[in-house]
Amino acid sequence: MNEKTTSDLIENGYSVINNCLDKKLLDSIKANINNNLITLLKENKKDSFGIDISKNYYEVKKIIPQYRLQVLLARKLVNEELITKLFLSKKILEELIVLLGPDIEYLSDFELAINDKDVVDDDYLIKKYHQEFWSGMGLEAIQLWIPIHMLDGMGSIEIIKKSHTWGHIPHRNREPLEIPTNHESEIINVKTGSVVIMSALTLHRTIKNN
């Protein structure tokens, strides 16, 4: 177990675990997503699909809103037990057991967040600074951000260091009413295969794809 994970999480509210996921598993997840995109196109009698996951996504988006698509794709991953396999990855499981203990459960009712460069003025899909605590996440839980399809130059997330020490931050319309001016933030630069762990109180936001 990497003690740095625990110390970073306590001190800064987040920790990055690099190169902790198996490439074959990640390839299986991407293949599952792409196959389900193709299935959706076929079901809607569309023949404009290929092997490119991004192109297939934009074709599906013409007929299914992104909000709904994110839920549909996440459910497929859960049903195929691919999310369970992620959490059972040796390095991740070891870290989670140290942080939470051996009796672990995860929330399966989630969305597959898609960072769409074409989204404009939508703070649900491209999120402003927020705490997951606002959405009902418990203080005893931790959240994982796991990039599945991360190419060079793609947007990730930005985190405000030590923001978890500020407690529950008052907010309106999905953003904080006030943030201290002397805060320090970091844009997380990771590749596919890495994981970011955060507390429920850690302020973070989407860095949009260019």
Side-chain angles (χ1 to χ4, degrees), residues 4-200:
K4 186 175 183 300
T5 301
T6 303
S7 61
D8 283 349
L9 190 60
I10 293 172
E11 181 178 355
N12 294 316
Y14 69 99
S15 183
V16 179
I17 309 174
N18 289 305
N19 304 316
C20 59
L21 295 175
D22 180 67
K23 183 179 182 300
K24 289 183 179 179
L25 175 56
L26 292 169
D27 286 344
S28 295
I29 291 172
K30 284 190 281 189
N32 179 276
I33 293 169
N34 202 30
N35 289 338
N36 282 301
L37 289 171
I38 292 172
T39 298
L40 289 169
L41 288 170
K42 289 180 177 179
E43 287 175 351
N44 286 274
K45 300 184 176 7
K46 304 291 184 181
D47 56 7
S48 52
F49 56 83
I51 61 172
D52 189 290
I53 190 171
S54 295
K55 290 181 179 178
N56 290 336
Y57 159 72
Y58 281 108
E59 287 298 320
V60 173
K61 189 185 169 188
K62 294 176 182 178
I63 52 179
I64 299 176
Q66 184 177 339
Y67 301 97
R68 184 181 167 211
L69 184 57
Q70 292 186 162
V71 173
L72 290 174
L73 293 175
R75 286 176 181 170
K76 294 292 186 180
L77 293 176
V78 171
N79 292 341
E80 294 294 325
E81 298 190 345
L82 289 168
I83 301 302
T84 299
K85 289 179 181 179
L86 272 179
F87 288 122
L88 290 177
S89 298
K90 186 175 185 298
K91 290 183 180 179
I92 289 296
L93 185 59
E94 289 175 352
E95 299 281 3
L96 293 177
I97 288 174
V98 169
L99 293 170
L100 299 172
D103 186 10
I104 300 173
E105 62 181 7
Y106 71 88
L107 178 67
S108 61
D109 182 16
F110 70 98
E111 297 179 26
L112 179 73
I114 300 172
N115 191 339
D116 189 332
K117 64 182 180 180
D118 293 338
V119 171
V120 178
D121 296 329
D122 190 321
D123 57 14
Y124 181 86
L125 296 175
I126 304 296
K127 298 186 184 301
K128 301 176 182 178
Y129 275 127
H130 64 286
Q131 296 175 312
E132 294 302 328
F133 185 71
W134 300 348
S135 301
M137 180 178 170
L139 292 175
E140 73 284 358
I142 58 174
Q143 57 181 316
L144 275 63
W145 183 74
I146 306 174
I148 300 300
H149 184 64
M150 178 68 75
L151 303 179
D152 290 341
M154 282 187 170
S156 61
I157 56 174
E158 183 173 13
I159 297 174
I160 296 183
K161 294 183 177 181
K162 306 183 188 300
S163 56
H164 66 304
T165 64
W166 302 343
H168 178 210
I169 299 172
H171 57 97
R172 183 182 297 121
N173 298 326
R174 298 195 185 101
E175 64 178 326
L177 291 177
E178 185 178 1
I179 297 177
T181 56
N182 60 344
H183 70 266
E184 180 183 357
S185 66
E186 179 183 3
I187 296 176
I188 304 300
N189 182 20
V190 296
K191 296 184 180 296
T192 303
S194 300
V195 173
V196 181
I197 297 178
M198 294 178 279
S199 82

